[in-house]
């Protein structure tokens, strides 16, 4: 990353963090601590970076963008708190998950609180704008939550199936992950009253970038380092997640290898040796295929980015870099 982009990203993250801290306040100390917990572990802030860079790309209002970016990041953290409860994960970004530290009832409340605070932040971002802009922004925000919920439900339903197709997988990650990337990019245009054509290309940029991001995330769940990932390695195998790697492997592996993989998938009692053997089989048949697929969607994102008139060249460099980073990241 160049010094120019490093400075650009740091400025966005610092300002968005400031707004997040202001929004996630509560008169009940325990609720505030539980709600703010995952923010203290840092995180990439990819969605805020996408939103503010998309806004800058078309010459938008930075202060509105910071508040809208806080809204999408708060919403994202709401989904993480509830996801960790559903997946029974005990680590997130290297920290104990909220339900582990405060218990499930408080974690559910923290998630609900973050959900409300996300809408408060978006409402503040739109203050003073016309009703049509309000409608467009809230529509895509609400629709994102609905589609994220559907994606999560699909992901859970896949755990008990061995016949999940690649098409179903892509549809699932469009909802579970990519929709909020898409919403972030779109809001960068909507809050600045961009044309429908620009917003459409921002939507597609974010959607394809999000698909690429999730594919790489699934790859890292197999080959990543636990300390770098900040969460248990092989957790996707233990939970029976039907990632693109698993789907491809089940279609290509020999019968004895499939048997090993199927017996390990979703087996929460599986020993480390079993998980490592399953991982070896998955790597053998699907690793390069998954990387190529992630690259395909990253390239699609860049195709749509090129269709947008550029007001700010640094913002354009930032959005291009994020597509590159998504493919090359190791955590």
């Amino acid at each position: 990353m160049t010094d120019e982009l490093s400075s650009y990203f740091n400025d966005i993250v610092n300002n968005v963090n400031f707004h997040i801290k202001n929004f996630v306040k509560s008169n009940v100390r325990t609720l505030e601590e539980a709600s703010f917990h995952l923010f203290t572990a840092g995180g990439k802030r990819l969605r805020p970076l996408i939103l503010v860079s998309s806004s800058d790309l078309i010459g938008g209002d930075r202060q509105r963008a910071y508040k809208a970016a806080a809204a999408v990041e708060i919403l994202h953290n709401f989904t993480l708190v509830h996801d960790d409860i559903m997946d029974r994960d005990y680590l997130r970004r290297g920290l104990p998950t909220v339900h582990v530290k405060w218990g499930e009832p408080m974690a559910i409340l923290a998630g609900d609180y973050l959900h409300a605070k996300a809408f408060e932040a978006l409402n503040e971002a739109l203050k003073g704008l016309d009703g049509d802009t309000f409608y467009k922004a809230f529509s895509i925000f609400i629709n994102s939550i609905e589609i994220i919920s559907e994606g999560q439900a699909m992901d859970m339903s896949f755990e008990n199936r061995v016949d999940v197709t690649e098409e179903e997988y892509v549809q699932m990650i469009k909802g579970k992950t990519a929709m909020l990337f898409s919403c972030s990019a779109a809001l960068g245009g909507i809050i600045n009253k961009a044309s429908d054509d620009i917003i459409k290309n921002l939507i597609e940029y974010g959607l394809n970038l999000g698909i690429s991001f999730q594919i790489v995330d699934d790859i890292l769940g197999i080959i990543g380092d636990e300390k770098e990932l900040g969460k248990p390695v092989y957790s996707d195998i233990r939970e029976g997640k039907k990632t693109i790697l698993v789907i491809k492997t089940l279609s290509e592996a020999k019968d004895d290898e499939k048997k090993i993989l199927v017996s390990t998938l979703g087996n929460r009692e599986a020993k480390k040796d079993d998980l490592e053997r399953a991982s070896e089989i998955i790597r053998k048949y699907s690793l390069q295929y998954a990387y190529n697929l992630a690259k395909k969607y990253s390239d699609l994102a860049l195709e749509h980015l090129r269709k947008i008139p550029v007001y700010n060249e640094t913002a354009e460099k930032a959005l291009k870099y994020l597509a590159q980073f998504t493919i090359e990241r190791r955590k």
Side-chain angles (χ1 to χ4, degrees):
M1 186 191 302
T2 64
D3 290 343
E4 177 191 18
L5 281 183
S6 180
S7 175
Y8 180 77
F9 286 148
N10 284 338
D11 186 43
I12 292 172
V13 169
N14 289 337
N15 278 281
V16 172
N17 284 346
F18 171 80
H19 285 289
I20 289 171
K21 192 167 185 179
N22 280 341
F23 282 119
V24 187
K25 284 183 176 178
S26 171
N27 294 324
V28 181
R29 184 177 175 183
T30 306
L31 179 60
E32 181 176 326
E33 288 175 348
S35 300
F36 197 71
H37 176 63
L38 293 183
F39 293 109
T40 65
K44 303 175 190 70
R45 302 290 189 265
L46 282 178
R47 294 151 193 83
L49 291 176
I50 290 168
L51 195 154
V52 178
S53 298
S54 296
S55 174
D56 283 353
L57 183 71
I58 60 172
D61 183 326
R62 262 289 180 102
Q63 292 307 312
R64 286 194 192 280
Y66 288 147
K67 291 174 183 176
V72 295
E73 189 67 8
I74 292 168
L75 183 66
H76 172 55
N77 275 261
F78 146 67
T79 67
L80 297 183
V81 172
H82 282 191
D83 280 358
D84 287 340
I85 295 170
M86 287 182 278
D87 291 340
R88 289 177 278 177
D89 281 337
Y90 60 87
L91 277 180
R92 169 76 68 175
R93 297 171 182 164
L95 292 180
T97 49
V98 177
H99 69 277
V100 167
K101 194 172 173 79
W102 282 277
E104 283 192 15
M106 183 56 70
I108 292 168
L109 283 173
D112 293 345
Y113 191 69
L114 290 170
H115 187 264
K117 286 295 182 179
F119 278 93
E120 181 184 342
L122 181 60
N123 197 47
E124 287 297 316
L126 297 168
K127 189 175 181 180
L129 295 177
D130 61 278
D132 187 53
T133 304
F134 258 89
Y135 178 79
K136 283 182 179 178
F138 270 92
S139 291
I140 198 163
F141 203 66
I142 292 164
N143 186 237
S144 295
I145 298 169
E146 293 169 353
I147 292 175
I148 289 167
S149 299
E150 290 172 351
Q152 180 68 13
M154 287 179 74
D155 191 26
M156 291 171 64
S157 72
F158 290 172
E159 290 175 14
N160 297 317
R161 289 176 52 193
V162 293
D163 61 344
V164 178
T165 65
E166 182 174 319
E167 291 73 20
E168 287 178 305
Y169 165 80
V170 172
Q171 188 62 35
M172 180 271 289
I173 64 173
K174 275 183 181 179
K176 183 181 174 183
T177 301
M179 189 59 200
L180 197 51
F181 278 68
S182 183
C183 175
S184 299
L187 282 172
I190 291 169
I191 63 173
N192 295 297
K193 301 183 182 180
S195 69
D196 289 344
D197 190 54
I198 287 174
I199 292 169
K200 180 182 175 182
N201 281 304
L202 286 171
I203 285 170
E204 290 298 324
Y205 165 82
L207 189 70
N208 286 292
L209 182 64
I211 294 170
S212 178
F213 180 89
Q214 185 58 55
I215 293 169
V216 175
D217 215 48
D218 291 342
I219 292 169
L220 293 176
I222 299 295
I223 69 168
D225 179 86
E226 190 163 308
K227 289 181 181 177
E228 286 190 357
L229 289 175
K231 61 183 180 181
V233 73
Y234 306 144
S235 61
D236 285 353
I237 298 174
R238 188 180 282 110
E239 291 161 15
K241 298 291 186 185
K242 300 306 184 298
T243 66
I244 188 59
L245 296 102
V246 169
I247 292 166
K248 183 66 174 174
T249 302
L250 287 173
S251 71
E252 299 283 339
K254 297 173 183 175
D255 288 344
D256 60 328
E257 293 170 320
K258 284 183 191 176
K259 188 175 180 181
I260 292 169
L261 182 55
V262 170
S263 68
T264 309
L265 282 169
N267 181 1
R268 292 183 178 272
E269 305 303 318
K271 296 186 171 91
K272 188 177 180 182
D273 287 349
D274 298 327
L275 293 167
E276 286 179 350
R277 177 61 182 139
S279 172
E280 285 172 10
I281 295 168
I282 291 169
R283 291 181 196 216
K284 176 181 173 183
Y285 288 100
S286 65
L287 193 57
Q288 193 56 54
Y289 181 82
Y291 268 123
N292 290 343
L293 192 62
K295 179 70 164 54
K296 170 190 160 185
Y297 282 105
S298 177
D299 288 345
L300 278 172
L302 291 172
E303 274 186 35
H304 286 281
L305 182 63
R306 283 192 286 271
K307 296 176 183 178
I308 302 170
V310 176
Y311 178 88
N312 183 317
E313 289 185 0
T314 304
E316 182 189 30
K317 289 177 188 175
L319 291 167
K320 285 180 177 177
Y321 173 82
L322 291 174
Q324 176 189 342
F325 164 78
T326 292
I327 295 296
E328 297 176 355
R329 70 196 178 94
R330 289 293 176 265
K331 62 180 179 177

